[in-house]
Amino acid sequence: MRLAALLLALPVAVSAQTWSANNEGGGEIVLTLRQTKCKQYGAHLVDGYSYVSNGQMVDFCWAVVDDMIRVVYLHNSSVRVYKPELFSKKTEK
């Protein structure tokens, strides 16, 4: 199933699922299906976070917009857009 199609079905998805993509800082961009921090900004927004190799982490809210992953970082309100194909389902260790 394509990631974008699954993400559009968020209300029925399992909350433990996460997807990730490598970032420029040697860490990952992680999409979750939790709505802990972002629900207050809109019912369609979902929590995510990004970290770099030194462990620094930033939280963001994300949604699927026009078949792309749109991310709004909470610390500075910057917006990034990513192709869904960059993300793969994280496996539990």
Side-chain angles (χ1 to χ4, degrees):
M1 176 182 260
R2 285 190 46 208
L3 175 61
L6 179 61
L7 298 177
L8 290 172
L10 285 177
V12 297
V14 177
S15 63
Q17 293 178 330
T18 58
W19 289 265
S20 67
N22 294 330
N23 65 21
E24 297 168 354
E28 290 183 309
I29 304 162
V30 181
L31 306 175
T32 76
L33 298 182
R34 293 188 302 264
Q35 287 188 300
T36 305
K37 297 177 181 179
C38 297
K39 190 173 184 177
Q40 65 181 322
Y41 302 113
H44 66 288
L45 295 174
V46 188
D47 300 353
Y49 62 92
S50 183
Y51 64 89
V52 293
S53 60
N54 71 4
Q56 183 180 11
M57 187 177 93
V58 292
D59 292 314
F60 60 78
C61 297
W62 69 272
V64 176
V65 178
D66 296 329
D67 294 326
M68 299 291 280
I69 306 297
R70 185 172 295 182
V71 168
V72 179
Y73 286 92
L74 296 178
H75 71 291
N76 64 4
S77 300
S78 64
V79 177
R80 298 285 304 259
V81 177
Y82 302 100
K83 293 179 180 181
E85 324 51 88
L86 295 175
F87 293 86
S88 59
K89 188 172 180 179
K90 287 182 70 82
T91 57
E92 305 232 357
K93 294 182 180 180

